[in-house]
Amino acid sequence: MGTRTSARHTRHRRRRASIAIITSVVAVLVVAGSAAAATVVLPGLSTSFPFAPDHTSSPLAVPDGGEGADPSTPPEQDPPLPDGPDAEPTVSPAPVEPPAPPAPPAPPAPVSPLAQPCDTTSVMSVWAHQDDDLIFANPELSAAISAGECVRTLYLTAGDAGKGQAYSRGRELGILRSYNVMRGAKAFWDERSVDLLSGARLSVFSPQGDPRVSVAFLRLPDGGLKSSGFPATGGCSIPQLLAGTIASLAPLDGGPAVTAASLQQTIAEAITAWGPTRLFTHVPGASALSVGDHPDHAATGSLVRAAWQSVGYPVDAVRYFIGYPSENLPINLSGDQLARKVDVYRVYAKEDLVIACADNAACLQRRGFGAWLQRSYPKTDAELGIG
């Protein structure tokens, strides 16, 4: 009994020892497994995790460097991904050039010192000599003045015919007195010297108390019937200036010389400054209607046509009056209309010693002048046949 009991106790002790040994082994294995697990390193995650995990790596993958990499080295961080599960990769936008700043506004055009206000319709006319307007453009000028319109007249030459300034000034006086007749009022005229933006200088006359009317003189040398000028003024003329045979032309009164370009600019400046409703002048030299006319007339018409075109003046408002060749056209003025025209002309002619006439009948008997006085033929630009 005692022997069996002792053997049973011995087996029981051995069983408990085996259990302890097994338990110890298991514990060792568990610890060893835990240590092995500590060598597994998770890849880095973006700062937006878990909203956009890095799907390119397994959660248990080893860090970049491949098999055998040092597990103690921290992996490189992947670049942050855009928020949202379906977000596209962010692309830096191309630089956009800022819009150019707006151009500064153009400075206002300078105002010509020739500007004269007019609160009604107006007529501007440009002529080669004193009396061209009275002979060829009347009765239209007289009608404009009688209707209360503003009338601005510019003469390019002194009309001196090589006879000097005394003769030229007499013709100017005749013009002022004839305009008084057209105005129906006697008055003294005030003169002012005007330096234009073009560089030219004009002598501008206006009757006292009537700013509606003004007459301006440039006083360039008269070119004569052959455009060769006169020895007293150096044998030069506006036609020569336009042809380029002379570079400049000086006024008889000592004003600044003009070139072909500045002379055209002078006329253009006058058109802009006066802003006429209608524009009258000679027939240009390029038109067949000018054949046989005075060369100064044709040159003046050419200058005026180029000037109004340069400033965009309306073509329908321009009229060109046939000069010397009108004597070959039918008479179209008579009766009171003709009498009124000759009355105005006779007052002028009294101051022009070359063509002075004592009365209307004498004026109409003068060769050439009598025929021109009985006619007036304005033409449109289309009727010039220039194209």
Side-chain angles (χ1 to χ4, degrees):
M1 179 77 178
T3 303
R4 283 198 296 268
T5 301
S6 175
R8 194 181 307 122
H9 283 284
T10 298
R11 287 195 298 273
H12 182 68
R13 286 196 299 270
R14 289 177 178 172
R15 188 180 299 118
R16 286 193 298 179
S18 298
I19 292 172
I21 292 172
I22 292 171
T23 302
S24 299
V25 171
V26 171
V28 170
L29 291 175
V30 170
V31 172
S34 299
T39 64
V40 179
V41 180
L42 293 175
L45 298 175
S46 70
T47 55
S48 61
F49 182 83
F51 304 107
D54 186 354
H55 296 293
T56 60
S57 303
S58 167
L60 299 180
V62 296
D64 290 343
E67 186 176 351
D70 185 357
S72 64
T73 302
E76 293 185 6
Q77 294 291 319
D78 292 334
L81 296 177
D83 291 343
D86 298 321
E88 294 292 333
T90 301
V91 179
S92 298
V96 178
E97 291 292 332
V111 177
S112 171
L114 193 61
Q116 287 180 277
C118 177
D119 57 3
T120 183
T121 56
S122 61
V123 174
M124 171 183 167
S125 62
V126 185
W127 310 102
H129 318 102
Q130 304 93 330
D131 83 356
D132 289 338
D133 48 346
L134 307 182
I135 296 173
F136 305 117
N138 255 343
E140 292 206 36
L141 279 178
S142 288
I145 294 176
S146 296
E149 294 188 79
C150 293
V151 173
R152 316 293 185 200
T153 303
L154 170 61
Y155 302 97
L156 298 187
T157 79
D160 57 284
K163 300 179 184 299
Q165 291 195 58
Y167 173 69
S168 174
R169 292 300 175 91
R171 297 187 70 176
E172 291 181 6
L173 176 60
I175 284 296
L176 302 185
R177 288 180 171 173
S178 68
Y179 269 72
N180 275 344
V181 174
M182 288 191 285
R183 293 189 314 112
K186 293 183 179 180
F188 290 105
W189 290 60
D190 293 326
E191 179 183 8
R192 63 189 178 103
S193 180
V194 181
D195 290 323
L196 274 62
L197 302 175
S198 68
R201 178 179 300 152
L202 297 180
S203 291
V204 182
F205 291 79
S206 294
Q208 293 177 356
D210 190 358
R212 295 177 307 123
V213 178
S214 59
V215 175
F217 302 98
L218 182 55
R219 297 171 178 153
L220 296 174
D222 189 333
L225 291 174
K226 296 182 179 180
S227 73
S228 56
F230 297 91
T233 53
C236 53
S237 66
I238 295 176
Q240 293 176 17
L241 189 67
L242 297 190
T245 56
I246 59 174
S248 62
L249 192 60
L252 299 188
D253 62 0
V258 298
T259 64
S262 68
L263 182 53
Q264 177 182 319
Q265 291 167 1
T266 296
I267 299 169
E269 183 176 340
I271 294 172
T272 303
W274 287 334
T277 309
R278 291 177 291 162
L279 177 62
F280 296 167
T281 192
H282 295 287
V283 173
S287 173
L289 297 175
S290 74
V291 174
D293 204 356
H294 194 298
D296 285 350
H297 296 175
T300 298
S302 298
L303 283 164
V304 174
R305 188 170 190 259
W308 70 252
Q309 289 177 335
S310 72
V311 297
Y313 187 79
V315 61
D316 293 341
V318 184
R319 292 295 181 271
Y320 306 91
F321 287 79
I322 298 179
Y324 291 175
S326 67
E327 65 180 331
N328 301 314
L329 299 174
I331 293 175
N332 60 0
L333 298 176
S334 60
D336 290 343
Q337 194 177 49
L338 176 60
R340 168 75 172 166
K341 178 176 181 177
V342 179
D343 284 340
V344 173
Y345 174 77
R346 179 172 45 83
V347 170
Y348 157 77
K350 183 179 179 181
E351 308 300 332
D352 186 336
L353 300 181
V354 173
I355 59 171
C357 43
D359 53 33
N360 287 11
C363 292
L364 288 173
Q365 289 173 3
R366 278 203 164 272
R367 182 175 178 269
F369 292 91
W372 300 325
L373 287 170
Q374 296 177 74
R375 296 161 174 84
S376 182
Y377 279 91
K379 295 295 180 179
T380 65
D381 195 76
E383 292 175 313
L384 296 179
I386 296 177

